[in-house]
Amino acid sequence: MNTMQTVRAVDDTPPAPVSFRAAVLFWLKLGFISFGGPAGQIAIMHQELVERRRWLSERRFLHALNYCMVLPGPEAQQLATYIGWLMHRSWGGIVAGALFVLPSLLILIGLSWVYIAFGDVPLVAGLFYGIKPAVTAIVLQAAHRIGSRALKNNVLWGIAGASFVAIFALNVPFPAIVLGATLIGYVGGRVAPRYFAAGGGHGKAGEGFGRALIDDDTPTPAHARFAWSRLLGVFAIGAALWIVPMGLLTAGLGWDHTLTQMGWFFTKAALLTFGGAYAVLPYVYQGAVGHYGWLTPTQMIDGLALGETTPGPLIMVVAFAGFVGGYVKAFYGPESLFLAGAVAACLVTWFTFLPSFLFILAGGPLVESTHGEIRLTAPLTAITAAVVGVVLNLALFFGYHVLWPEGLDGRFDAVSALIALGAAVALLRFKAGVIPVIAACAVIGLALSLFR
C-alpha cells in the first residue's frame, strides 16, 4: 500500500521546468528519429512528450494537434513548432520546427546525389524492400493509437467511419472532409456538447501519465496570449522573409529562371494544399513532372520512396524534386551539378516550410485562448475523429502498393505481407519501438535481396 501511495505521489508531481538547451537537444534527436510519416511522427511525439517526459498534458497535445491538422502543410512539423513555441516562445518554436526538418534535408541531399549521380543501388533497393511494409504497419499502429485516445464515444466513431468511407469509397477531397467534420462539430458542440469534449479522457490520461509541466489547468503563458501588435509583427516578418528572397531571385535571375519558378511553385504548394503530404503529392507531381519537367515520373516515385524511409516530414520529397531539378538543369555549369542540386533543394525547403512557421506563430495565441471553451473546441475534436479515418485509409493505400506492387491484376507479394504482419505484431502486441522495427525490417529486406 505504501509503495502504491508513493508511486501515485510521484505521478502527481509535475516534472521540473525544461531548459531551452534540453529542449533543443530533444528536438534535434526527434529530427533524426521521426520516421513513419506524419502519423508515426505524431505517435513518437505523444509517447515522448505526453507519456514519458510529461511536458504537456494529453488534452493540450490533442488541442494543438487539432489545429495543425486543419492547416495546409506538414502537421507533425507544425505540431513540433507549436509545442516548442508554447514552451520557449518564438525561438523555441523556430528551433523545434527547423530541427524537425534539417536532418531530413541533409540526408535527402546526400541520398538524392547518390541516386542521380550513380543510378540504381541494389543495396538501397533491398533496404527499401523491407522498410516499405514496416511503414505500412507503423501507419496502421498510429491510426489505432490516435483513434483509441480520440474516439471516446459512438458519435466520434461515426465521424471517423464516415470519413473513411468518404475518402476510400467516394474519393471525397480531404478539405471537404475537414469542412464536413467542422460543421458537425460546430453544431454538435451546441446541441450535444458532452460528445465533443476535447481530449475526452483526461482523467484516464492523468492516472496513466501524471501531472504535466503544462497541464490542463496551467495558465497560458504571457507570450502565448493574443495581442494585435504581436500578430501584426509576425505577419510583417513573415512577409519580409518571403518577399526579400523572391525579389532577389526575380531581380538577379529573372522570373523564368528555374530557381525563381521553384520558389513560386512551392509557395503555392505550401498554401493551396490541405491534408498533409499525400494531398500535396499530386499537385507536386503535376507541376514538377508534367509542367516544368524538373524530373521524370519514375524519379518522382523513387523520390517518394526516399521520403518514406528517411526521418522528417514526408513532404520533404519536395527537396528531392528540387535537387534533381537543379542537378538536371545544371544552371551553375557542368562542373557544379551537386551545388546546383543542393541550392535548389534548400531553396525549395525554405519556400515550402516558411508558411508553416507563420501559421503557428500567428495562430497559436488564438488556439491557446480556446482550449477550455467547448463551443470552440468541438469542431476541432470532430476534425480529429475524421482524421483517424483518413489515416486508416492511408494505411490501406500503403498496403495496396506494397502487397500488390504491379496492381491488383499482378502478383501478390507474400514476403512483403509477412514482413508487414511481423512489424504490426511487434508494434501492436509487443509495443516495440518504431526505430527498432524499421531497422529489423530493413535488415530483412537487405538479406532477402542478397540471397535472391
Side-chain angles (χ1 to χ4, degrees), residues 148-180:
S148 65
R149 299 190 179 281
L151 307 181
K152 298 298 184 180
N153 54 65
N154 290 335
V155 172
L156 297 179
W157 272 100
I159 294 173
S163 169
F164 173 77
V165 172
I167 196 167
F168 177 79
L170 305 178
N171 201 29
V172 175
F174 183 79
I177 293 174
V178 170
L179 177 60

Side-chain angles (χ1 to χ4, degrees), residues 178-274:
V178 170
L179 177 60
T182 302
L183 293 175
I184 293 172
Y186 179 82
V187 175
R190 287 156 173 73
V191 176
R194 67 185 184 279
Y195 292 112
F196 294 89
H202 174 65
K204 294 181 181 179
E207 292 175 8
F209 311 134
R211 284 192 63 82
L213 184 63
I214 302 177
D215 211 72
D216 291 355
D217 55 0
T218 302
T220 300
H223 72 271
R225 296 173 190 155
F226 177 77
W228 280 108
S229 59
R230 186 178 295 116
L231 178 64
L232 293 176
V234 169
F235 278 127
I237 294 172
L241 291 175
W242 185 86
I243 291 173
V244 170
M246 198 67 192
L248 291 175
L249 288 171
T250 304
L253 302 175
W255 178 251
D256 293 326
H257 191 273
T258 299
L259 289 179
T260 310
Q261 286 299 301
M262 282 184 174
W264 176 239
F265 173 75
F266 285 103
T267 296
K268 292 187 292 181
L271 293 174
L272 301 180
T273 52
F274 292 80

Side-chain angles (χ1 to χ4, degrees), residues 356-409:
S356 294
F357 287 94
L358 299 181
F359 288 140
I360 298 303
L361 298 180
L366 293 172
V367 176
E368 278 300 301
S369 68
T370 67
H371 66 76
E373 302 179 29
I374 181 63
R375 292 189 177 186
L376 297 175
T377 59
L380 300 180
T381 301
I383 290 169
T384 298
V387 167
V388 173
V390 173
V391 173
L392 179 59
N393 173 72
L394 179 59
L396 295 181
F397 174 84
F398 271 139
Y400 166 75
H401 287 281
V402 169
L403 303 183
W404 287 274
E406 301 168 4
L408 288 177
D409 295 333

Side-chain angles (χ1 to χ4, degrees), residues 44 47 138 141 423 426-428 430-440:
I44 291 173
Q47 185 178 44
I138 289 167
Q141 181 230 20
L427 292 165
L428 296 170
F430 297 103
K431 311 301 181 185
V434 171
I435 303 305
V437 170
I438 289 179

Side-chain angles (χ1 to χ4, degrees), residues 4 57 82 98 115 118 191 221-222 260 265 272 353 383 400 423 444:
M4 290 297 293
S57 69
Y82 190 105
Y115 171 84
F118 301 103
V191 176
T260 310
F265 173 75
L272 301 180
F353 284 92
I383 290 169
Y400 166 75
I444 292 172

Side-chain angles (χ1 to χ4, degrees), residues 1-13:
M1 176 67 87
N2 291 337
T3 302
M4 290 297 293
Q5 290 176 343
T6 301
V7 172
R8 187 178 295 273
V10 171
D11 286 345
D12 288 340
T13 303

